[in-house]
Amino acid sequence: MEVINSIKFTMPSLSVNESAARAVVSSFLIQTDPTVEELSDIRTAVSEAVTNAVVHAYRGTSGTIELTVKLLKDREIYIRVKDRGCGIPDISKAMEPLFTTAPEEERSGLGFSVMQSFMDKLSVRSAAGKGTTVTMRKRLSYHGD
């Protein structure tokens, strides 16, 4: 993985920081001159990943969320959202559309599905009591593609 540029942003697990995460990613990615659609897709995927960490990782407590964004060669974007929360006991179940661990909060259970639909690659690693890491990649088009 040849990294051209990167940033790391750490924030408290507060829902108000979801918009800050989108803004940080957008500001950083402007240097790649993405299309409006590409930027919107990436912002939505980041929003879902950060919201999942806020809502599920630190249920009833607080912690930190680490956001890493890397520009890779060939216009590929790498994004990692990491928490040190409760972890996901069954990743495959959690990634099923409409599955939610918080139905009482009227959650749709579409977070991972949304991330998958907007990004080229999505991977989720998690360990009980140690947290979850969501890694996403997207290759940006070249103007004229």
Side-chain angles (χ1 to χ4, degrees), residues 55-56 59 102-108:
V55 170
H56 301 290
R59 199 164 277 293
E104 69 283 355
E105 296 176 17
E106 297 183 23
R107 298 286 167 187
S108 66

Side-chain angles (χ1 to χ4, degrees), residues 76 115-116 119-123 135-138:
E76 187 173 11
M115 288 179 241
Q116 284 178 313
M119 302 300 280
D120 297 332
K121 296 177 188 173
L122 171 72
S123 71
T135 305
M136 303 176 281
R137 289 183 180 223
K138 184 173 186 75

Side-chain angles (χ1 to χ4, degrees), residues 5-7 23-32 69-71:
N5 197 1
S6 66
I7 60 165
V24 165
V25 170
S26 296
S27 297
F28 183 72
L29 293 181
I30 288 302
Q31 67 190 290
T32 66
V69 185
K70 297 179 182 179
L71 303 180

Side-chain angles (χ1 to χ4, degrees), residues 94-109:
M95 292 184 78
E96 289 177 10
L98 304 179
F99 176 81
T100 181
T101 59
E104 69 283 355
E105 296 176 17
E106 297 183 23
R107 298 286 167 187
S108 66

Side-chain angles (χ1 to χ4, degrees), residues 53-69:
V54 168
V55 170
H56 301 290
Y58 299 109
R59 199 164 277 293
T61 62
S62 62
T64 59
I65 298 169
E66 180 182 287
L67 172 65
T68 302
V69 185

Side-chain angles (χ1 to χ4, degrees), residues 26-41:
S26 296
S27 297
F28 183 72
L29 293 181
I30 288 302
Q31 67 190 290
T32 66
D33 194 23
T35 66
V36 171
E37 183 178 352
E38 288 168 335
L39 193 55
S40 178
D41 289 353

